[in-house]
Amino acid sequence: MARTVFIAGSGLFCARGDSPSTVRDALWAGECTAASRQLGERRFPYFPLPLAETDWLRRAEQAIRHVGGQLGNLPMDTPLFVASSSFQIGHFEQQGAPFAMPVGSASFTRQIADWLELRGPRYSFSNACVSGFSAIDAASTLIAAGLIDEALVLGVELANASTLAGFAAMELLSPNGCHPFDARRNGLVLGEAVAAVRLTAQPGPWQIVGQRNGLDGYSTTGPDPAGNPIARVMTDCLHAAGLTPADIDLVKVQAAGSPGTDLAEARALHQVFGPAMPPLLSLKPALGHTLGASGIAELAALLACIEAGQVPATAQFAEPDAEIGLAPTAHRQAADVRCTLLNLIGFGGGLASLIVARDR
């Protein structure tokens, strides 16, 4: 029989704060201001880490050590699962051309393990925006099977010109902000984050009760407009957890402000939940889309909020879209959230849903 997997702790450093609790307080206060990054003659809103250091590698070390310190003493043999869309490409960019990339960016995972003083097995995951949930899935599977007892899953996404230029070239970035599910939505706003969750077989307040990954092959740049693959992944996740849609108290939606992806996700939500739609929360207008780190960063932020009995408002939502037919949380509210579903929709077709529950 598979073992239950619990979340023993989390760490977070992003644009809104340097711990899950400070991020929670910022979300409750409605903070969502962004900085900006220049790309040629264009300037885009951006959510950077509040660090004065400019050297990419030293900056990464500071952020990763800081997040690791939030998780307490980790046994040296703790397996490490690292998720990122870009790994250390920003460091290579700073070195100037020409530069030699190692075989695979997974060498950065070895560096992270050294910073965290971990000597156990190391695994790297890089499948765009669903990387974080893929890493959690792998770690959870091994714990559930009794092959390991604990794992540290860390997401890291730090600034680099390659990622920004790639999204800008495809005209996927917003010039003025993230407006999830809003009629004014016009693209993504990127950001930085380092986040971690500590998974264990030892009982704790939160457990992972369901997870499913999927692939939407409709297009490399966007999902099936009908939302069918997204709906299937959510439905499969509910079945894996032994739950019905009525058991979900809150959905953390992807809702990054992309015109097509937001619409596809909304249609999928209508398919799964029908008229009994639970509250919907998007964190990307306040944190930015942190790509490979987004799943772990948003999980850490969300758990901090609902542990305090808080559901923050979704920032930057003001004008409902009749075609979407949904509105995320417009006002902050106190709530007893015991079971929540989190969605990720990745560039290139990756899909993932995760359900966490407490006192089950």
Side-chain angles (χ1 to χ4, degrees):
M1 182 175 178
R3 298 190 299 180
T4 301
V5 179
F6 297 90
I7 299 173
S10 63
L12 179 58
F13 192 9
C14 65
R16 293 275 75 88
D18 62 358
S19 70
S21 60
T22 57
V23 173
R24 175 201 65 210
D25 293 345
L27 292 171
W28 187 247
E31 296 177 15
C32 62
T33 55
S36 64
R37 288 196 67 195
Q38 189 78 27
L39 181 68
E41 297 181 353
R42 305 173 72 185
R43 181 169 287 276
F44 297 97
Y46 191 80
F47 289 90
L49 292 181
L51 284 173
E53 177 62 61
T54 58
D55 178 83
W56 195 96
L57 205 59
R58 285 198 291 269
R59 200 165 176 267
E61 180 179 3
Q62 288 178 12
I64 290 167
R65 285 185 184 275
H66 180 78
V67 168
Q70 297 173 31
L71 295 167
N73 294 324
L74 295 167
M76 289 183 61
D77 60 352
T78 301
L80 174 65
F81 296 74
V82 175
S84 180
S85 293
S86 58
F87 281 87
Q88 73 272 47
I89 188 64
H91 169 62
F92 296 136
E93 291 173 352
Q94 270 193 348
Q95 306 313 298
F99 55 77
M101 288 186 72
V103 179
S105 295
S107 62
F108 189 44
T109 297
R110 293 198 297 270
Q111 178 66 78
I112 291 171
D114 289 342
W115 288 336
L116 296 175
E117 299 181 0
L118 297 178
R119 300 292 180 264
R122 305 152 191 176
Y123 307 90
S124 304
F125 297 81
S126 188
N127 51 336
C129 314
V130 299
S131 301
F133 279 5
S134 295
I136 289 176
D137 185 40
S140 298
T141 299
L142 293 176
I143 293 172
L147 298 174
I148 60 176
D149 294 320
E150 192 168 51
L152 175 63
V153 186
L154 184 131
V156 54
E157 203 70 43
L158 297 177
N160 64 85
S162 299
T163 298
L164 187 69
F167 278 90
M170 291 180 286
E171 299 296 334
L172 297 176
L173 298 181
S174 170
N176 54 22
C178 170
H179 303 285
F181 286 175
D182 195 291
R184 304 165 299 155
R185 68 189 187 280
N186 57 4
L188 315 175
V189 177
L190 301 181
E192 297 182 300
V194 176
V197 289
R198 187 174 180 176
L199 304 182
T200 179
Q202 296 299 314
W206 290 98
Q207 64 185 83
I208 295 175
V209 297
Q211 181 166 7
R212 282 296 182 265
N213 300 322
L215 186 65
D216 186 339
Y218 181 83
S219 165
T220 57
T221 57
D224 179 348
N228 296 330
I230 303 170
R232 282 196 296 271
V233 170
M234 283 192 283
T235 300
D236 288 347
C237 191
L238 286 165
H239 289 165
L243 300 173
T244 69
D247 294 316
I248 301 299
D249 299 318
L250 175 71
V251 178
K252 193 290 300 175
V253 288
Q254 168 77 7
S258 170
T261 302
D262 278 22
L263 180 59
E265 184 179 19
R267 287 171 171 165
L269 289 163
H270 282 296
Q271 288 183 48
V272 174
F273 293 99
M277 191 69 60
L280 309 174
L281 172 66
S282 174
L283 296 172
K284 289 181 173 65
L287 308 184
H289 192 338
T290 58
L291 303 176
S294 62
I296 304 171
E298 294 179 10
L299 174 60
L302 181 65
L303 289 179
C305 291
I306 59 181
E307 282 173 352
Q310 299 175 351
V311 176
T314 295
Q316 305 280 15
F317 175 81
E319 188 175 335
D321 185 325
E323 192 173 17
I324 281 183
L326 292 174
T329 55
H331 305 284
R332 68 183 192 181
Q333 55 191 286
D336 181 20
V337 175
R338 312 195 74 78
C339 191
T340 181
L341 183 148
L342 299 90
N343 273 342
L344 291 182
I345 302 169
F347 184 79
L351 305 174
S353 290
L354 173 74
I355 299 174
V356 294
R358 59 177 164 181
D359 299 335
R360 192 165 182 251

